[in-house]
Amino acid sequence: MTNKRVTISVPEEIVAKAQRAVDSGQAGSVSAYFTELAETAPDWADAEQLATEILEESGGTTAEDEEWVESVLSGARRSVESAA
């Protein structure tokens, strides 16, 4: 893989976290830290495209399907908010 230099802006706390990973030997560099995060993170754009294709092939969703999804997502949001 060829590396390309980019400039990003992130909160100071995130930079400090990346630097701690470097200092403790968990990452070879700040760039390596962010590269590993990006490599292991899901490709949400690809997942969204796949989900769209599946929905199109299956004939789409019903109002009942959408209500169920919203109820599940609402519960997940509440769990995340209560954990914060």
Side-chain angles (χ1 to χ4, degrees):
M1 177 186 322
T2 302
N3 290 337
K4 180 177 180 176
R5 186 177 185 89
V6 298
T7 302
I8 61 171
S9 298
V10 295
E12 289 181 20
E13 297 83 16
I14 302 301
V15 174
K17 184 176 182 179
Q19 189 60 56
R20 286 193 303 274
V22 173
D23 294 345
S24 68
Q26 295 175 346
S29 66
V30 171
S31 291
Y33 176 84
F34 284 107
T35 297
E36 183 177 340
L37 286 176
E39 287 175 341
T40 58
D43 185 341
W44 294 114
D46 191 40
E48 183 178 18
Q49 180 181 353
L50 179 59
T52 299
E53 290 172 11
I54 290 170
L55 280 172
E56 288 173 358
E57 290 175 9
S58 70
T61 60
T62 65
E64 182 178 311
D65 295 334
E66 292 176 22
E67 287 174 18
W68 177 83
V69 169
E70 186 56 38
S71 71
V72 170
L73 292 177
S74 294
R77 281 188 212 107
R78 283 192 296 276
S79 296
V80 169
E81 290 168 358
S82 66

